[in-house]
DNA sequence: TTGTATGCGTTATCAT
DNA sequence: ATGATAACGCATACAA
């Protein structure tokens, strides 16, 4: 490994001079600086991030908190897409990305401690239990954080537009003549609450009456529970004409149930997903769904976090809502009224 | 941030004593050591990984190389599962995981340089172009590496048992009476080569004649190309009775094509996937497929890399093959002969 | 058993 | 414009 010292010897100048030249400080002669830079390049010099971090107290490294509680965190395309764009943007801005967790080796530490231990300049928090005291401790600490799809007081967060998404879906379905719309939602999270609220609000605005039995619970990313909910809906005396699913993947459960009962999509039943993952676009009939712009969410999260890290004085917490778009497929039938 | 110095002052002993006590060195009095440990705990002491890394020359941090060339690297459940188990195992062994890439900030560096810059103790390489000179440079460097699904000379790698997997599939299909078996394979990689070779070998062993037109190319994770290939197979004068797909997700393309032609699975056509992702298990009929044990692969990769890092002298390169299992679904019809 | 001193590779302050 | 030096937090060889 070639260090500043090696270069200083090679150049016949002091270590300090080399450091300044390489960092472009103005108090080094043009000529000397150029010479030093050329030698450094020739010798294949690379700064040592560790030494730098120790000296500067900042590591140019951000943490990512991504708990795989249901062991489907990363498996979910929504999150893996966020993770990827987050990584790309962070790297573009000169930051590396390290996973943060509890229990690293023998040490049992919480997220905050882990982040401190690694000298993370900031942490992006996604797909965790936001009620976890350890998560709260991290968020309330002095470490800059950005949360995804959840808001803490005086903290920056990037949110998918669940209210707008659900509104667009309901309106689209309404425009296609549907008045009996059922909604199978995911487990109780703030995301789910927003979607449910938006569902009811939009229905009310459109003058649609929603029987209680039309709104039922399932689990995200779990086709089985959505299949069950579908079966229940189909058993109602007055069947809905359209079913909204928690997400595209869960819809598979509904798809199976419908097929088993000999019902075809969209002729006998209209369906809508959520997420806009690859799968939704390759199913036939193509699934009508609402695409969440995960790529933008990850990118913004990284950019906002790094801005907060680099300009701590001028920083103010922000709530960024990333809008998505309705992807029209062929799973919603147009009903003449 | 509480440091060794703070503790030493609080305890009225020297910094060195604190360091030794906390690291459990034998040359500190039982009593003193216990006292120091209790004070450290009370003060909330956490070692500084950065300082430690600088001092020890080892960071307890491993890199992961995961290039999203087709921007589906992470989206592919196979890889996201590997990534997750890799992370879990590494953390269990006391190592953090950091993404490695080219171009971090203004610095344009190759993978090797990035790994050195971050002081990574080792790197796991997956889902990249293994012909990339930058990858080769990293692998041939002094940095310990483990590659996934690709072998370099004198280097450790963890391989999915593609030969065994394909063999099991062909045998299973054969046992169900099929003699006209088509194989749609992915783009040309070493994985694909192994599967193709194993396909032919097993067919030969079983005395199955494989017309050239039965083996055709598509692209992994791309239903469109597999759909096209399916259409071509269906247009043959002598149709196969069973089609093997590159992977479960690609099969969706074939599924659509079959349905469009009014063919039902498995009555009119038997099909087999590869991977054993969640999707394969929720489709109806359930897809018969070969599950790759991605969880084990990630775990082994981490364990082997860390073993190599910690016991460099006794280390010898290993080729670990992780076997999978045939998941019997209902997509292969049993044909009476 | 405990303390002193040094250095890991940097950056930054203060002399020169 | 350049250099000597201290400091970041830690581990360790060596002295006491």
């Amino acid at each position: 490994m070639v260090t500043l010292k090696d270069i200083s010897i090679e150049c016949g100048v002091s270590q300090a001079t080399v450091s300044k030249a390489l960092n472009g400080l103005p108090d080094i002669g043009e000529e000397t600086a150029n010479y030093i830079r050329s030698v450094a390049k020739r010798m294949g010099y690379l700064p040592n991030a560790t030494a730098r971090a120790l000296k500067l107290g900042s590591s140019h490294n951000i943490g990512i908190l991504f708990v795989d509680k249901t062991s489907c965190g990363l498996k979910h395309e929504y999150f893996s897409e966020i993770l990827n764009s987050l990584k790309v943007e962070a790297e573009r801005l000169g930051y590396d990305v390290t996973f943060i967790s509890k229990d690293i080796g023998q040490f049992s530490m919480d997220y905050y401690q882990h982040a401190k231990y690694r000298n993370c300049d900031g942490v992006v928090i996604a797909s965790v239990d936001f009620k976890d005291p350890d998560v709260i401790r991290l968020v309330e600490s002095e470490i800059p954080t950005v949360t995804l799809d959840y808001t803490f007081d005086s903290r920056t967060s990037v949110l998918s537009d669940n209210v707008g998404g659900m509104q667009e879906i309901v309106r689209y379905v309404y425009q296609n003549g549907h008045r009996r719309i059922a909604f199978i939602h995911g487990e109780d999270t703030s995301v789910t609450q927003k979607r449910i609220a938006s569902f009811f609000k939009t229905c009310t605005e459109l003058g649609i009456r929603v029987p209680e039995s039309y709104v039922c619970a399932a689990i995200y990313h779990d086709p089985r529970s959505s299949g069950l909910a579908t079966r229940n809906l189909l058993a109602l005396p007055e069947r809905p004409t359209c079913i909204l699913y928690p997400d595209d993947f869960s819809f598979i459960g509904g798809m199976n149930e419908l097929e088993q009962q000999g019902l075809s999509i969209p002729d006998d039943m209209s369906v809508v997903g959520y997420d806009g993952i690859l799968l939704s676009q390759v199913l036939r009939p193509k699934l009508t769904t609402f695409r969440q712009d995960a790529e933008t969410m990850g990118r913004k999260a990284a950019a906002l976090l790094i801005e907060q890290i680099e300009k701590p004085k001028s920083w103010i917490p922000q709530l960024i809502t990333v809008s998505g778009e309705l992807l029209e497929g062929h799973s919603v039938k147009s009903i003449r009224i």
Side-chain angles (χ1 to χ4, degrees), chain A:
Chain A
M1 177 185 223
V2 35
T3 68
L4 289 186
K5 196 174 172 185
D6 300 327
I7 300 175
S8 75
I9 293 171
E10 176 78 14
C11 293
V13 297
S14 81
Q15 221 186 80
T17 306
V18 177
S19 171
K20 290 171 189 167
L22 259 32
N23 286 324
L25 295 208
D27 53 348
I28 299 293
E30 181 91 14
E31 231 173 309
T32 329
N34 281 332
Y35 175 59
I36 291 175
R37 275 192 281 265
S38 75
V39 172
K41 188 159 191 179
R42 175 165 57 72
M43 295 178 73
Y45 171 75
L46 265 183
N48 180 321
T50 305
R52 206 171 195 152
L54 180 60
K55 181 66 188 166
L56 300 177
S58 126
S59 59
H60 266 63
N61 190 110
I62 64 177
I64 169 93
L65 195 48
F66 230 114
V67 176
D68 235 5
K69 44 183 177 184
T70 58
S71 96
C72 96
L74 276 178
K75 273 190 198 172
H76 198 311
E77 207 174 299
Y78 175 58
F79 291 111
S80 60
E81 205 171 333
I82 287 179
L83 176 59
N84 190 59
S85 62
L86 176 89
K87 161 183 172 256
V88 169
E89 178 72 356
E91 284 168 349
R92 197 181 67 77
L93 296 172
Y95 285 73
D96 280 318
V97 178
T98 299
F99 284 108
I100 290 298
S101 65
K102 309 187 185 193
D103 303 326
I104 184 84
Q106 321 89 324
F107 294 97
S108 166
M109 41 176 111
D110 61 30
Y111 302 128
Y112 169 70
Q113 291 174 321
H114 191 169
K116 290 294 278 186
Y117 167 74
R118 269 296 164 202
N119 265 290
C120 289
D121 294 338
V123 180
V124 172
I125 307 176
S127 182
V128 298
D129 173 11
F130 290 101
K131 307 286 188 190
D132 182 342
D134 287 347
V135 171
I136 295 173
R137 179 176 180 205
L138 173 60
V139 171
E140 290 178 346
S141 75
E142 79 284 4
I143 299 178
T145 58
V146 169
T147 50
L148 275 100
D149 277 336
Y150 192 89
T151 311
F152 285 98
D153 181 57
S154 301
R155 286 282 157 180
T156 296
S157 53
V158 176
L159 307 164
S160 182
D161 186 12
N162 285 289
V163 170
M166 187 49 73
Q167 188 183 59
E168 271 200 58
I169 288 177
V170 174
R171 286 192 178 158
Y172 171 82
V173 170
Y174 179 88
Q175 276 161 21
N176 279 275
H178 294 269
R179 297 296 179 268
R180 300 209 301 272
I181 308 169
F183 177 29
I184 302 176
H185 58 77
E187 65 267 26
D188 185 37
T189 64
S190 70
V191 166
T192 306
Q193 286 163 13
K194 281 177 191 159
R195 290 191 195 165
I196 293 178
S198 178
F199 174 75
F200 279 116
K201 181 163 184 289
T202 311
C203 284
T204 304
E205 283 169 6
L206 295 171
I208 301 178
R209 188 188 61 88
V210 182
E212 239 179 73
S213 55
Y214 274 22
V215 177
C216 38
I219 300 170
Y220 287 117
H221 218 251
D222 175 49
R224 209 191 48 81
S225 61
S226 279
L228 235 58
T230 304
R231 185 178 305 176
N232 292 337
L233 288 172
L234 295 178
L236 290 177
E238 190 178 49
R239 274 187 186 175
T241 60
C242 179
I243 302 178
L244 314 184
Y245 285 88
D247 56 86
D248 298 339
F249 190 74
S250 298
F251 157 69
I252 301 287
M255 186 180 89
N256 292 333
E257 186 64 30
L258 289 167
E259 185 161 341
Q260 198 177 314
Q261 302 213 13
L263 301 174
S264 95
I265 301 170
D267 287 333
D268 303 315
M269 181 62 75
S270 293
V271 295
V272 181
Y274 208 101
D275 282 349
I277 61 174
L278 238 53
L279 178 63
S280 68
Q281 298 309 294
V282 298
L283 289 174
R284 292 295 172 269
K286 194 196 278 187
L287 185 60
T288 294
T289 186
F290 189 83
R291 190 176 81 85
Q292 302 199 75
D293 191 352
E295 194 275 334
T296 299
M297 293 186 64
R299 188 159 36 77
K300 291 253 184 189
L304 285 170
L305 181 65
I306 291 168
E307 187 188 333
Q308 186 180 160
I309 291 167
E310 298 185 341
K311 304 200 183 83
K313 25 209 178 289
S314 69
W315 168 81
I316 39 172
Q318 293 184 62
L319 300 188
I320 299 283
T321 298
V322 176
S323 52
E325 60 174 326
L326 189 85
L327 296 183
E328 189 171 359
H330 302 100
S331 67
V332 174
K333 184 185 182 184
S334 185
I335 302 181
R336 319 271 161 222
I337 312 183

